[in-house]
Amino acid sequence: MGNVSPQDSFHVRYRKTSPIWGDESEAVNTALTWAVHRTVVASDPKATARDAADLARDVGQTITKDGIGARRAMELFDTVALPASRAPDDPYNLAYIPSAPTRAAVAFDTVVSTANIFGGTWEAGSGAIHLENQAIAWLISLLDWPASAAGAFVAGGTLGNLSALAAARHAADTSRGRPEGGWFLACSEGAHSSVAAAAQILDVGVLTVPTDARGHLTGAALDEALGARTDVFAVVASAGTTNTGIVDDLADIADVCEKRGLWWHVDGAYGGAALASPTARAMFAGIERADSFIVDPHKWLFAPYDCCALIYRDAARAAAAHSQHASYLEAIDRSQFNPADLAIHLSRRTRGLPLWFSLATHGTEAYGRAIDTCMQTAREIADGIDALEHLELLVPPELSVVTFRRPGWSRAEYARWSHRLATDGVLLIVPTTYEEETALRIVVVNPLTRADFVLKILSETMR
């Protein structure tokens, strides 16, 4: 290229106009201008799902021979698609387990997409993976795990649980040999639905252990259920169940797993975030002895969808189960743990970077304060419900889930109340089931949620 400088050479090679796509400046500016504006404004609390036929009518056909253009595509997304998508970051979206990412994390997710880094192997994305690993290292420090620990960010808790249990089964196959009747995993009836899904995919059975009166899996009940069985390869404990937010008796469960030589996996998809709170850390005593652990930063660590941190005490055991080998993969640097070696994936975006950026921006103490604020808000809501004569508190919050009911209401009445408040954009609380009765649950993962506002609505609308 003659006397062209390296910088000039870069711009010649990577000019913005493509012979195929043309000049995409308008598309880029349209999308990024919208993203900048959207990042700093509140979500619409009235946003909700719509009928498929209505959406088909209002959107029309967007995939055409010649395209509809960036402006029209952006207009349809902004005015039709987005309003038909529930806002998880609204402070009064208190259903399921919502998401309340920091603005820094949301903004950096755009950076991650723009950088387009392949995050499956160290050879392809070492810089970005190194930054992700700093966020993982912080989580490892909360677990008080040894230097052998490592992890990776995967798409969600379901994939995290599946990957951890696949590693556990591989370890059992290797050390003990598969029993004639196949393997079983043990968990409580309060375990997340993804545990049963993982068991089905792995073709293993489920030994369901009864919980105590408080809803906790205990070491005594686990030990009794295991009895003389030798076909159980792993135990799954919950560090914050989805329905009631309780934390199993981790230290006692650790004793049983250690005595019996069982892989112990802790599902902290929601509640594991409370490890960052100095006031809640004692609730997780014993977790330092677990073999694997997950937490979803998109739930209560203020990151955007989708992001689950999957961590192993001894990452070499995970790599033995998950590393992929092929002629085209032999150039991979395996002196480092590649994210692809630690879970059921190969291709992956560096989805842990928004969490890293937010942590680096705000500091870990701010995370602890935010989580403490959520737990305090949940306690205030619970105390307020307990004081209202027309409501009954069912499960006092251990973390930030409040389970309660309106005595005398039918399932239909709960549903009508929930739908009315949702469509009015006031509160999003949906019915659940607790001890075979219809109930309601509130989950506080947004530090902007105010207890006095929630209690005012409950008092005025549920009499």
Side-chain angles (χ1 to χ4, degrees):
M1 299 182 64
N3 295 322
V4 176
S5 70
Q7 185 66 19
D8 289 340
S9 174
F10 178 89
H11 287 299
V12 168
R13 184 176 176 186
Y14 297 104
R15 59 171 60 92
K16 66 181 179 181
T17 302
S18 161
I20 300 295
W21 313 120
D23 185 345
E24 295 185 276
S25 297
E26 181 185 22
V28 171
N29 290 334
T30 297
L32 294 184
T33 299
W34 184 93
V36 168
H37 173 72
R38 176 65 182 81
T39 299
V40 295
V41 300
S43 298
D44 179 2
K46 294 186 178 183
T48 190
R50 294 180 58 197
D51 183 78
D54 290 343
L55 285 172
R57 180 197 65 226
D58 292 348
V59 171
Q61 184 60 42
T62 60
I63 309 304
T64 65
K65 179 176 178 241
D66 297 316
I68 62 172
R71 289 184 182 276
R72 178 57 179 159
M74 191 73 242
E75 179 186 18
L76 287 170
F77 174 79
D78 183 46
T79 62
V80 182
L82 188 64
S85 307
R86 180 173 287 144
D89 57 346
D90 182 80
Y92 299 102
N93 180 340
L94 306 172
Y96 309 108
I97 306 286
S99 176
T102 66
R103 300 298 89 192
V106 170
F108 206 78
D109 204 33
T110 304
V111 174
V112 171
S113 294
T114 303
N116 192 34
I117 296 169
F118 176 78
T121 63
W122 186 261
E123 178 269 337
S126 62
I129 294 169
H130 176 75
L131 297 180
E132 285 188 308
N133 285 347
Q134 290 199 345
I136 291 284
W138 173 63
L139 294 171
I140 290 172
S141 72
L142 298 179
L143 293 164
D144 196 22
W145 280 6
S148 60
F153 290 99
V154 299
T158 296
L159 185 58
N161 283 335
L162 175 61
S163 297
L165 291 169
R169 188 187 63 177
H170 180 273
D173 282 343
T174 303
S175 63
R176 296 158 58 187
R178 190 165 300 189
E180 185 176 341
W183 287 117
F184 282 74
L185 63 84
C187 63
S188 80
E189 54 205 3
H192 191 265
S193 57
S194 64
V195 175
Q200 184 176 17
I201 293 168
L202 294 171
D203 193 24
V204 301
V206 177
L207 172 63
T208 302
V209 183
T211 57
D212 66 9
R214 302 172 299 152
H216 302 75
L217 175 63
T218 66
L222 174 64
D223 202 36
E224 182 178 354
L226 290 171
R229 298 181 67 139
T230 59
D231 58 353
V232 174
F233 73 97
V235 173
V236 180
S238 299
T241 57
T242 302
N243 206 36
T244 56
I246 63 97
V247 179
D248 288 335
D249 291 353
L250 302 182
D252 291 345
I253 295 168
D255 289 340
V256 175
C257 292
E258 191 172 290
K259 177 180 71 173
R260 292 176 174 267
L262 299 176
W263 183 295
W264 181 31
H265 174 64
V266 177
D267 179 356
Y270 148 65
L275 282 163
S277 163
T279 64
R281 181 60 179 82
M283 202 179 302
F284 299 90
I287 201 169
E288 65 278 1
R289 297 156 65 189
D291 294 290
S292 54
F293 167 80
I294 65 161
V295 62
D296 287 352
H298 65 232
K299 285 188 168 70
W300 201 12
L301 283 175
F302 315 111
Y305 292 113
D306 51 10
C307 186
C308 168
L310 163 64
I311 310 174
Y312 302 91
R313 165 187 284 278
D314 182 358
R317 299 173 78 189
H322 292 301
S323 292
Q324 297 187 35
H325 297 276
S327 58
Y328 52 85
L329 297 176
E330 293 311 308
I332 291 175
D333 178 4
R334 297 191 186 272
S335 64
Q336 302 288 335
F337 281 117
N338 296 288
D341 293 332
L342 302 177
I344 303 171
H345 61 192
L346 180 57
S347 298
R348 68 177 287 273
R349 72 194 301 267
T350 49
R351 57 174 46 86
L353 286 181
L355 172 64
W356 163 80
F357 183 73
S358 185
L359 281 168
T361 298
H362 296 296
T364 59
E365 288 193 0
Y367 271 65
R369 290 194 300 271
I371 290 166
D372 277 341
T373 297
C374 294
M375 290 192 293
Q376 177 60 31
T377 300
R379 287 191 291 268
E380 291 174 5
I381 292 172
D383 290 344
I385 288 172
D386 205 28
L388 290 171
E389 61 181 15
H390 62 293
L391 298 180
E392 179 185 357
L393 181 66
L394 297 174
V395 183
E398 291 188 7
L399 296 172
S400 68
V401 178
V402 182
T403 308
F404 66 104
R405 71 186 182 101
R406 169 62 163 86
W409 273 16
S410 66
R411 182 85 183 186
E413 287 172 305
Y414 280 108
R416 284 196 297 269
W417 175 84
S418 174
H419 179 72
R420 177 166 61 85
L421 266 63
T423 54
D424 289 346
V426 178
L427 288 179
L428 181 64
I429 303 174
V430 299
T432 186
T433 300
Y434 178 74
E435 294 185 344
E436 300 183 356
E437 289 190 20
T438 305
L440 295 167
R441 56 187 286 282
I442 286 173
V443 185
V444 182
V445 295
N446 191 326
L448 297 179
T449 303
R450 288 178 47 189
D452 57 348
F453 178 80
V454 174
L455 291 168
K456 179 177 182 291
I457 299 303
L458 297 183
S459 177
E460 292 177 352
T461 63
M462 299 193 79
R463 290 190 186 277

